[in-house]
């Protein structure tokens, strides 16, 4: 019998050359018809799963031998993406927006590496095949027309809207949040097509916001019927026969307590501490024995595996197990018998574990304690009635406090890193509206439980690691050397130093730094940057150690109600305890499953964390919505090339955009994480305390904008050019001519740019006097693909898509700004833009005099679909503009080829099916050249044709100024394709890189 491993091993052999299925059949000596049929099925399964690849000659091989990299796609809101390879040793691969080839965020794909930067640095590639689709449904806002609609996705990494044909509306109307099932994935210039499968309600209705996040992350709320039936079959109580038959140790006579938050219902851990006659401490950690009720292979087990963990959102919990188990028979409720898995540890005078036992047990907790009450009892703040009620437990609590303090001291001494971040709790009313944001206390009670759980987790992990049984570990690998070196260099700006070099840095050195910055203004900021320089903790089948805890062995043992890995290791522990060892067959089976479970659990944990963070950001934005104009004190938590983030005392974080710093022109110093004024030399850096005013709240992006108090505006009517020399520009907003004024803009090699620093203009929020490496940036997102590094290295890009037809309320053009390469990419102007009047071909006709002029997000004429230039968070940073002929070429292309040289700029074209005019005429839509620019671009450096999607220079003057009366019918006819891409970049098209 041929196995998948036999085929993969053959193909990985160095002597192997790609074979056809017939050659493989001969190699494996397959004779019978049934064997051949099974072999072909196996080969097809391996191909579908991506473990083998069939080449152009129908010959098979493994991807790594065919220059392909397998991994998960991580998309960015600007259109580009990165491949996160499954091989952790392989570097990430950058993928341009045009090279995604229908892939979407989260998909498992094959990528072909097409180029490598000098020195073997960053890789670039293109998606050649989608193996597994991660997005089967999308959540967004429905925008309906008479015969078709679009859904604007909540996830900004979905850069193209979903087309909905009329028959798939299913009752949805404009403004509603809906869930869309993707029927056809985007291909070429065609948008993805979907059908509405659920209407969540109007986007402004109470509760719809959280529900939309639940659907967006595809968090499963309701349990399947068979899962609930199994949960209902669980008993309400425990019988003596059960206890005796299982041979459990009876601990019901011991004083054991649970200590949790006031609102916790799934109590899965209980503790007790005794002082032995020899002076040693005996710590007992007792965990709910969920594995007894959730058996392997049952519907409950499969559901728990798929969910991975419980998800705690602001106003609800999405549990891993049904409430009958999580809040009922498995929860260690007070004064009732409960089945548990216990770990008892004996600590000597040096806090070394000299003896430990892991066994099944039954307990009856004495009290259900809360963190608040334990803290009050230990600090002497408790009310008399509280003291009287728990007087019989006071000695136990004092003993716990003493042991926990000593355990913590030992942990710190060995070098564990203790991040003491301030966490917040958002209080909401019955409608889900946030009423207050309060800080979560990390008192002595929380620290006690934390230390006890850490001790149990380490003991269990070490015990079973030495037993060499299949197990799941919680691992935290050593930090990336480059990131750590950057952090070590950064802290020197604050007068601190870290001993060590690269990966040789011991966690003790980082903990020493945390102790040095304790209580300083920069404490929170430096702690967060240190955390970002480290790798994420994850689950693994191998014990690789835990850097942050300075622990050689670590696992998750203490929360089986809400974490699947804990449930799995309980199952392994039970099997070992009951049988003494594992059979060879069982050992092999469990070993084959652990890597898959570890990966699944890690992925589900990341989904839960992302959902929790987005919910928190949403509620914080809602909380600050009615506080626009109010003043707060905060601390600068991050500095970037487009502004600085400020964190308030209530943990709310907002952005002060660079464009709002109007008293000077600020340069971003990357190594110092500081903004420095050109004239005043004023410095803003991480850790500085400042006073801010709430300027704006964007509920669609869940972002908050601040502005500095007493910020003096720049002199009205003029501003200095970055170089400091020459005459200032003139005009109402610093530049005459942008809003259709009489004066002509000044000319330069890169469009509206002269002197050192380019110029970017934003309408509506005056965002734009920020300089970019490529001169003028006119996109709503700042830089194009590859810009997310604080710098936009292309020239001026202001291209927008053709507006869609007939939007409700007289809005026909939802235009997003250009965020991909100019090679005919469909540019979208971000939400917040006004819609142009119905039926208009473009939101304001663009001027076609292409004497090196860029449209910096500016659209002249009747439409109001104006782009907000370079004002998104990930937008371009400041920097000197590059002079040269190739100013409008994206960073990833060879400079000087696309629209850079002298001569006429070629107008955009459509690569498929001829021109847009001819295609629309073929369906009876009439002429479309009303959107064309005025003639061909004049000779000059950096000339850019602004003809948009219609052919440059086409149509009469009357047609060019008419606003495109026939556009609506044309788009209606071709609406299924979504936004149409033009293959020209306005300045000479360039072949796609492969």
């Amino acid at each position: 019998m041929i196995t998948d491993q036999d085929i993969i091993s053959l193909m990985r052999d160095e002597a192997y050359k790609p074979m056809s299925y017939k050659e493989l059949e001969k190699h494996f000596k397959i004779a019978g018809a049934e064997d051949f049929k099974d072999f072909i099925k196996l080969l097809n399964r391996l191909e579908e799963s991506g473990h083998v690849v069939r080449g152009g000659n129908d010959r098979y091989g493994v991807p790594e031998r065919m220059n392909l990299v397998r991994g998960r796609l991580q998309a960015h809101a600007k259109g580009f993406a990165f491949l996160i390879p499954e091989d952790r040793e392989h570097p990430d691969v950058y993928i341009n927006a045009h090279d995604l080839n229908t892939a979407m965020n989260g998909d498992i794909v094959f990528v072909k590496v097409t180029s490598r930067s000098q020195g073997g640095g960053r890789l670039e590639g293109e998606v050649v095949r989608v193996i597994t689709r991660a997005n089967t449904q999308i959540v967004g806002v429905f925008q309906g027309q008479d015969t078709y609609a679009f859904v604007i996705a909540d996830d900004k990494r979905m850069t193209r809207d979903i087309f909905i044909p009329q028959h798939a509306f299913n009752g949805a109307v404009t403004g509603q949040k809906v869930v869309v099932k993707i029927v056809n994935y985007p291909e070429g210039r065609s948008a993805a097509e979907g059908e509405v499968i659920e209407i969540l309600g109007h986007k402004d209705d109470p509760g719809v916001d959280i529900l939309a996040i639940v659907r967006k992350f595809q968090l499963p709320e309701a349990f399947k019927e068979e899962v609930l039936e199994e949960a209902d079959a669980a008993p309400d109580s425990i019988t003596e026969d059960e206890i005796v038959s299982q041979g459990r140790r009876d601990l019901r006579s011991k004083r054991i307590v649970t200590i949790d938050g006031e609102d916790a219902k799934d109590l899965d851990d209980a503790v007790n501490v005794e002082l032995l006659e020899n002076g040693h401490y005996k710590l007992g950690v007792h965990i709910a024995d969920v594995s007894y009720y959730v058996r392997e292979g049952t519907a409950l087990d499969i559901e728990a595996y798929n969910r991975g963990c419980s998800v705690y959102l602001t106003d609800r919990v999405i549990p891993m197990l049904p409430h009958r188990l999580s809040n009922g028979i498995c929860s260690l409720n007070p004064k009732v018998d409960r089945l548990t898995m216990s770990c008892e540890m004996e600590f000597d005078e040096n806090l070394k574990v000299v003896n430990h036992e892991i066994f099944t047990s039954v307990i009856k907790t004495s009290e259900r304690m809360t963190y608040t009450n334990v803290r009050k009892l230990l600090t002497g703040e408790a009310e008399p009635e509280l003291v009287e009620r728990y007087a019989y437990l006071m000695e136990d609590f004092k003993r716990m406090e003493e042991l926990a303090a000593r355990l913590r001291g030992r942990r710190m001494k060995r070098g564990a890193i203790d991040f003491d971040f301030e966490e917040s709790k958002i209080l909401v009313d019955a409608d889900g509206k946030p009423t207050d944001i309060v800080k979560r206390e990390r008192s002595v009670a929380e620290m006690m439980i934390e230390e006890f759980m850490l001790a149990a987790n380490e003991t269990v992990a070490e015990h079973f690691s030495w037993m060499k049984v299949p197990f799941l570990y919680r691992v935290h690998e050593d930090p990336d050397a480059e990131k750590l070196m950057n952090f070590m260099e950064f802290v020197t700006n604050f007068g601190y130093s870290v001993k060590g070099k690269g990966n040789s840095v011991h966690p003790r050195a980082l903990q020493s730094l945390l102790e040095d910055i304790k209580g300083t203004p920069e404490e929170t900021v430096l702690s967060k940057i240190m955390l970002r320089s480290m790798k994420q903790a994850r689950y693994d089948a191998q014990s690789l150690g835990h850097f942050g805890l300075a622990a050689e062995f670590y696992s998750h043992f203490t929360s089986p109600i809400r974490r699947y890995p804990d449930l799995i290791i309980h199952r392994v522990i039970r099997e070992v305890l009951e049988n003494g060892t594992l059979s060879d067959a069982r050992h092999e089976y469990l070993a084959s499953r652990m890597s898959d479970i570890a990966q699944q659990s890690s992925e589900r944990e990341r989904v839960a964390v992302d959902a929790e963070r987005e919910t928190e950001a949403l509620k914080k934005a809602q909380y600050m919505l009615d506080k626009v104009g109010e003043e707060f004190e905060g601390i600068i938590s991050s500095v970037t090339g487009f502004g600085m983030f400020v964190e308030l005392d209530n943990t709310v974080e907002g952005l002060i955009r660079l464009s709002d710093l109007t008293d000077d022109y600020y340069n971003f110093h990357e190594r110092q994480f500081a903004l420095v004024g050109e004239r005043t030399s004023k410095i803003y850096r991480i850790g500085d305390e400042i006073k801010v005013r709430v300027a704006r709240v964007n509920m669609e992006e869940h972002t908050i904008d601040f502005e500095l108090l007493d910020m003096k505006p720049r002199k009205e009517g003029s501003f200095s050019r970055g170089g400091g020399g020459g005459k200032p520009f003139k005009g109402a907003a610093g530049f005459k001519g942008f809003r259709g004024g009489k004066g002509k803009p000044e000319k330069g090699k890169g469009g509206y740019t002269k002197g050192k620093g380019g110029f970017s203009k934003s309408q509506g929020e005056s965002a734009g006097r920020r300089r970019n490496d490529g001169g003028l940036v006119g996109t709503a997102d700042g830089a194009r693909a590859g810009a997310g590094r604080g710098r936009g290295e292309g020239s001026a890009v202001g291209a927008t898509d053709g507006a869609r037809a007939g939007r409700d309320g007289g809005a026909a053009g939802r235009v997003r700004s250009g965020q991909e390469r100019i090679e005919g990419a469909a540019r979208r102007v971000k939400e917040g833009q006004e819609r142009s009047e119905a039926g208009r071909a473009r939101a304001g006709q663009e001027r076609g005099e292409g004497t090196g002029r860029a449209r910096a997000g500016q659209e002249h004429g009747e439409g109001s679909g104006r782009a907000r230039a370079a004002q998104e968070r990930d937008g371009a940073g400041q920097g000197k503009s590059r002079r040269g002929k190739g100013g409008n070429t994206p960073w990833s292309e060879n400079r000087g080829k696309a629209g850079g040289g002298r001569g006429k700029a070629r107008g955009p074209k459509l690569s498929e099916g001829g021109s847009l005019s001819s295609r629309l005429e073929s369906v009876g839509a009439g002429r479309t050249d009303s959107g064309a620019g005025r003639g061909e671009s004049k000779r000059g450096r950096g000339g850019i044709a602004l003809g948009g999607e219609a052919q440059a220079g086409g149509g009469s003057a009357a047609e060019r100024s008419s606003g495109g009366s026939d556009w609506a019918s044309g788009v209606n006819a071709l609406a299924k394709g979504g936004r149409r891409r033009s293959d020209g970049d306005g300045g000479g098209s360039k072949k796609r890189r492969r």
Side-chain angles (χ1 to χ4, degrees):
M1 180 66 183
I2 306 299
T3 66
D4 54 355
Q5 197 56 47
D6 294 332
I7 297 175
I8 293 173
S9 297
L10 168 67
M11 294 181 180
R12 284 178 176 167
D13 189 277
E14 291 185 6
Y16 175 79
K17 292 183 179 180
M19 297 182 184
S20 66
Y21 75 91
K22 292 182 179 179
E23 292 169 327
L24 288 169
E25 176 190 0
K26 290 179 181 178
H27 176 84
F28 287 111
K29 299 177 181 178
I30 298 173
E34 283 300 318
D35 290 343
F36 175 74
K37 186 177 179 180
D38 292 339
F39 171 72
I40 293 299
K41 287 182 179 178
L42 177 59
L43 204 57
N44 288 339
R45 280 201 305 270
L46 288 173
E47 184 185 358
E48 289 172 3
S49 65
H51 289 94
V52 302
V53 179
R54 181 171 54 169
N57 299 325
D58 285 339
R59 296 180 180 274
Y60 293 87
V62 287
E64 57 266 30
R65 298 283 302 278
M66 304 179 78
N67 194 30
L68 297 178
V69 184
R70 176 187 167 116
R72 184 176 296 277
L73 201 70
Q74 190 175 83
H76 192 277
K78 298 188 185 310
F80 62 90
F82 285 94
L83 179 80
I84 311 301
E86 290 183 354
D87 179 5
R88 295 190 182 93
E89 301 300 320
H90 195 287
D92 295 350
V93 183
Y94 169 81
I95 302 168
N96 191 280
H98 285 282
D99 296 328
L100 290 173
N101 295 337
T102 82
M104 302 167 74
N105 182 62
D107 289 350
I108 303 296
V109 299
F110 277 140
V111 166
K112 179 181 179 181
V113 176
T114 55
S115 67
R116 185 187 300 266
S117 62
Q118 291 183 350
R122 186 176 64 190
L123 305 178
E124 293 189 31
E126 63 175 334
V127 176
V128 297
R129 182 186 157 199
V130 177
I131 302 169
T132 305
R133 294 282 185 184
N135 301 279
T136 56
Q137 60 186 45
I138 301 296
V139 178
V141 179
F142 188 88
Q143 295 285 352
Q145 299 298 316
D146 292 337
T147 57
Y148 66 94
F150 284 91
V151 169
I152 305 164
D154 287 353
D155 189 347
K156 301 310 170 188
R157 293 170 297 190
M158 292 283 298
T159 55
R160 301 172 71 180
D161 301 337
I162 312 299
F163 172 78
I164 312 294
Q166 187 176 24
H167 65 82
F169 286 10
N170 293 332
V173 297
T174 297
Q176 288 183 329
K177 285 271 188 183
V178 297
V179 181
V180 173
K181 177 184 177 182
I182 297 181
V183 177
N184 294 313
Y185 286 88
E187 191 166 348
R189 293 174 295 132
S190 298
E193 182 181 330
E195 64 173 327
V196 176
I197 59 173
E198 184 180 6
I199 299 172
L200 304 180
H202 192 274
K203 59 186 178 68
D204 297 327
D205 288 348
V208 170
D209 49 6
I210 299 292
L211 188 58
I213 292 176
V214 171
R215 295 293 188 270
K216 173 182 173 180
F217 289 96
Q218 299 185 37
L219 302 176
E221 283 191 298
F223 288 94
K224 298 176 182 176
E225 194 64 35
E226 59 267 28
V227 175
L228 293 176
E229 287 176 2
E230 287 186 8
D232 290 340
D236 292 320
S237 58
I238 298 164
T239 65
E240 290 297 323
D241 290 341
E242 274 186 293
I243 298 170
V244 173
S245 63
Q246 296 174 45
R248 291 179 177 269
R249 192 175 302 183
D250 193 343
L251 305 179
R252 287 176 288 184
S253 60
K254 292 182 178 289
R255 289 197 302 271
I256 299 173
V257 297
T258 59
I259 306 178
D260 287 276
E262 280 82 355
D263 52 357
K265 295 181 177 63
D266 50 352
L267 313 178
D268 50 12
D269 58 84
V271 296
N272 72 303
V273 174
E274 303 173 24
L275 191 60
L276 303 180
E277 294 181 359
N278 58 5
H280 293 179
Y281 286 104
K282 185 177 182 180
L283 167 64
V285 176
H286 315 281
I287 309 300
D289 191 358
V290 181
S291 64
Y292 177 75
Y293 299 100
V294 182
R295 298 290 181 164
E296 184 177 5
T298 60
L300 274 170
D301 180 48
I302 295 170
E303 183 71 13
Y305 168 83
N306 291 331
R307 295 186 176 223
C309 59
S310 297
V311 185
Y312 296 84
L313 305 180
T314 305
D315 60 351
R316 71 194 71 185
V317 177
I318 300 176
M320 184 179 79
L321 299 173
H323 289 298
R324 178 167 176 79
L325 294 179
S326 62
N327 297 358
I329 192 65
C330 292
S331 182
L332 306 184
N333 298 328
K335 296 180 172 56
V336 293
D337 294 347
R338 287 292 183 258
L339 303 182
T340 49
M341 191 79 72
S342 296
C343 176
E344 289 187 341
M345 296 151 280
E346 181 181 340
F347 297 92
D348 65 11
E349 57 276 3
N350 297 318
L351 275 300
K352 181 181 178 182
V353 179
V354 294
N355 188 25
H356 73 273
E357 282 188 281
I358 302 169
F359 54 91
T360 57
S361 57
V362 58
I363 67 170
K364 181 187 287 187
T365 56
S366 302
E367 296 287 352
R368 188 259 197 256
M369 301 299 300
T370 65
Y371 292 129
T372 301
N373 286 344
V374 173
R375 173 183 59 80
K376 288 180 178 180
L377 290 169
L378 290 174
T379 58
E381 302 172 9
E383 300 81 3
E385 56 271 19
L386 202 64
V387 174
E388 182 179 355
R389 179 180 175 184
Y390 299 119
Y392 75 105
L393 292 172
M394 277 305 299
E395 287 301 317
D396 292 347
F397 291 146
K398 289 179 180 177
R399 203 176 294 123
M400 288 180 189
E401 180 184 19
E402 182 180 351
L403 175 59
R406 294 187 62 189
L407 286 173
R408 177 179 169 78
R410 184 193 66 165
R411 191 164 57 88
M412 294 298 103
K413 187 176 180 180
R414 79 183 184 196
I417 303 172
D418 184 36
F419 291 105
D420 190 11
F421 294 124
E422 288 184 334
E423 296 182 357
S424 60
K425 181 178 181 180
I426 302 172
L427 307 179
V428 297
D429 61 17
D431 292 329
K433 182 179 179 181
T435 57
D436 198 7
I437 300 176
V438 297
K439 289 184 179 179
R440 293 182 186 270
E441 280 193 83
R442 191 180 178 218
S443 66
V444 60
E446 281 91 346
M447 291 182 182
M448 273 170 31
I449 296 301
E450 181 181 297
E451 293 302 327
F452 296 161
M453 297 304 114
L454 288 173
N457 286 336
E458 288 184 45
T459 301
V460 169
E462 182 173 7
H463 179 98
F464 286 93
S465 178
W466 287 114
M467 289 191 70
K468 304 293 183 185
V469 297
F471 214 64
L472 283 180
Y473 299 92
R474 182 70 169 177
V475 302
H476 186 216
E477 294 156 295
D478 290 348
D480 178 77
E482 183 179 355
K483 288 184 178 180
L484 199 55
M485 287 298 292
N486 290 338
F487 172 74
M488 292 165 64
E489 182 180 348
F490 169 68
V491 298
T492 59
N493 296 307
F494 295 85
Y496 301 105
S497 62
V498 179
K499 295 180 181 179
K501 294 182 180 180
N503 271 359
S504 64
V505 173
H506 193 277
R508 186 184 298 112
L510 298 176
Q511 177 58 30
S512 297
L513 174 63
L514 291 178
E515 292 171 0
D516 291 341
I517 64 177
K518 190 78 174 176
T520 63
E522 62 267 17
E523 177 188 4
T524 302
V525 173
L526 291 183
S527 298
K528 286 183 178 179
I529 294 178
M530 181 192 295
L531 184 62
R532 290 171 192 155
S533 70
M534 297 182 183
K535 294 182 179 179
Q536 289 181 341
R538 59 184 179 83
Y539 297 102
D540 200 284
Q542 304 297 320
S543 180
L544 305 177
H546 199 292
F547 179 83
L549 294 172
E552 185 178 357
F553 306 98
Y554 194 70
S555 186
H556 272 173
F557 164 75
T558 53
S559 296
I561 291 178
R562 59 188 180 91
R563 290 192 303 232
Y564 192 70
D566 304 51
L567 173 59
I568 285 295
I569 68 171
H570 274 228
R571 196 172 284 156
V572 174
I573 292 170
R574 165 191 300 284
E575 204 163 335
V576 171
L577 292 177
E578 290 177 353
N579 303 317
T581 184
L582 298 175
S583 66
D584 291 342
R586 184 63 177 163
H587 190 285
E588 183 179 349
Y589 171 76
L590 289 174
S592 68
R593 292 278 295 129
M594 287 303 171
S595 293
D596 173 66
I597 295 172
Q599 183 177 348
Q600 162 74 1
S601 299
S602 297
E603 290 174 359
R604 295 308 302 170
E605 180 187 48
R606 294 310 312 157
V607 170
V609 169
D610 289 343
E612 289 165 3
R613 285 177 178 169
E614 184 159 335
T615 305
E616 186 174 298
L618 164 71
K619 291 303 177 183
K620 284 183 176 179
Q622 281 184 355
Y623 178 72
M624 299 301 289
L625 194 59
D626 60 357
K627 293 172 176 56
V628 173
E630 294 187 21
E631 299 173 1
F632 297 88
E633 290 185 355
I635 184 172
I636 298 176
S637 58
S638 181
V639 179
T640 71
F642 52 85
M644 52 189 177
F645 290 95
V646 178
E647 184 175 318
L648 307 184
D649 187 56
N650 62 5
T651 72
V652 170
E653 191 174 55
L655 172 67
I656 298 179
R657 299 180 184 274
L658 207 63
S659 56
D660 290 334
L661 298 177
T662 54
D663 63 336
D664 200 351
Y665 296 92
Y666 289 87
N667 294 308
F668 174 50
H669 291 253
E670 188 173 358
R671 290 189 178 275
Q672 288 75 33
F673 281 86
L675 293 174
V676 181
E678 289 185 0
R679 294 183 293 103
T680 61
S681 296
K682 186 183 292 184
I683 299 175
Y684 293 105
R685 68 171 189 170
I686 286 181
D688 289 349
E689 294 180 352
I690 57 175
K691 292 184 178 181
V692 298
R693 182 186 298 110
V694 182
R696 294 172 290 274
V697 176
N698 186 332
M699 286 308 303
E700 293 185 0
E701 300 283 349
H702 306 160
T703 58
I704 302 161
D705 283 357
F706 293 146
E707 59 187 9
L708 286 174
L709 301 184
D710 305 323
M711 178 58 64
K712 296 179 181 179
R714 300 187 181 104
K715 185 177 179 181
E716 183 71 19
S718 67
F719 69 91
S720 171
R721 318 170 184 214
K727 298 178 182 180
F729 290 118
K730 298 177 181 180
F735 195 178
K736 196 167 185 178
F738 256 80
R739 298 177 183 261
K742 296 179 181 179
K744 290 186 177 181
E746 305 214 12
K747 300 176 182 179
K749 295 182 182 180
Y752 289 126
T753 306
K754 196 168 184 180
K756 278 188 180 179
F759 178 88
S760 88
K761 170 71 178 161
S762 167
Q763 294 196 358
E765 295 187 29
S766 62
R769 299 174 181 84
R770 67 183 69 161
R771 297 180 301 160
N772 292 273
D773 284 344
L776 192 151
V777 174
T779 70
D781 290 278
R784 280 184 288 304
R789 295 159 178 75
R791 179 176 298 178
E793 293 184 325
S795 173
V797 181
T800 61
D801 283 328
R804 275 198 306 275
R807 285 283 169 109
D808 283 353
R814 178 179 179 274
V815 190
R816 284 192 185 165
S817 63
Q819 60 205 21
E820 305 168 1
R821 262 190 280 157
I822 323 174
E823 300 176 277
R827 318 297 191 206
R828 308 183 195 197
V829 178
K830 289 277 186 182
E831 53 270 27
Q833 300 170 140
E834 307 167 7
R835 314 277 202 242
S836 59
E837 294 182 10
R840 308 230 173 221
R842 297 185 68 85
Q845 301 300 327
E846 298 139 288
R847 316 288 187 186
E849 305 114 358
T851 328
R853 301 180 185 174
R855 289 180 327 186
Q858 180 71 20
E859 302 196 340
H860 301 281
E862 304 163 338
S864 58
R866 301 186 175 108
R868 298 183 315 189
Q871 65 188 20
E872 296 299 319
R873 285 191 182 192
D874 295 317
Q878 291 193 351
K880 297 181 179 180
S881 65
R882 293 180 193 221
R883 296 170 177 263
K885 300 180 181 180
N888 68 329
T889 307
W891 62 267
S892 59
E893 302 180 15
N894 297 324
R895 304 189 186 281
K897 292 185 179 180
R902 295 178 178 272
K904 298 180 181 179
R906 297 195 295 271
K909 64 182 181 180
L910 290 165
S911 61
E912 298 175 14
S915 69
L916 183 59
S917 297
S918 61
R919 295 184 66 195
L920 291 178
E921 287 175 348
S922 69
V923 295
R927 297 176 62 85
T928 61
D929 46 8
S930 57
R934 297 183 180 175
E936 294 181 337
S937 175
K938 297 179 183 178
R939 291 180 178 270
R941 302 185 185 217
I944 301 177
L946 304 180
E949 306 208 59
Q951 305 254 344
S956 66
E959 289 169 334
R960 287 196 298 268
S961 62
S962 68
S965 58
D966 290 328
W967 179 262
S969 59
V971 173
N972 191 22
L974 292 177
K976 185 173 180 179
R979 294 193 176 84
R980 294 320 205 184
R981 296 185 182 275
S982 59
D983 288 344
D985 60 5
S989 62
K990 182 178 175 64
K991 291 182 180 179
R992 287 175 56 191
R993 290 175 294 102
R994 290 288 179 185

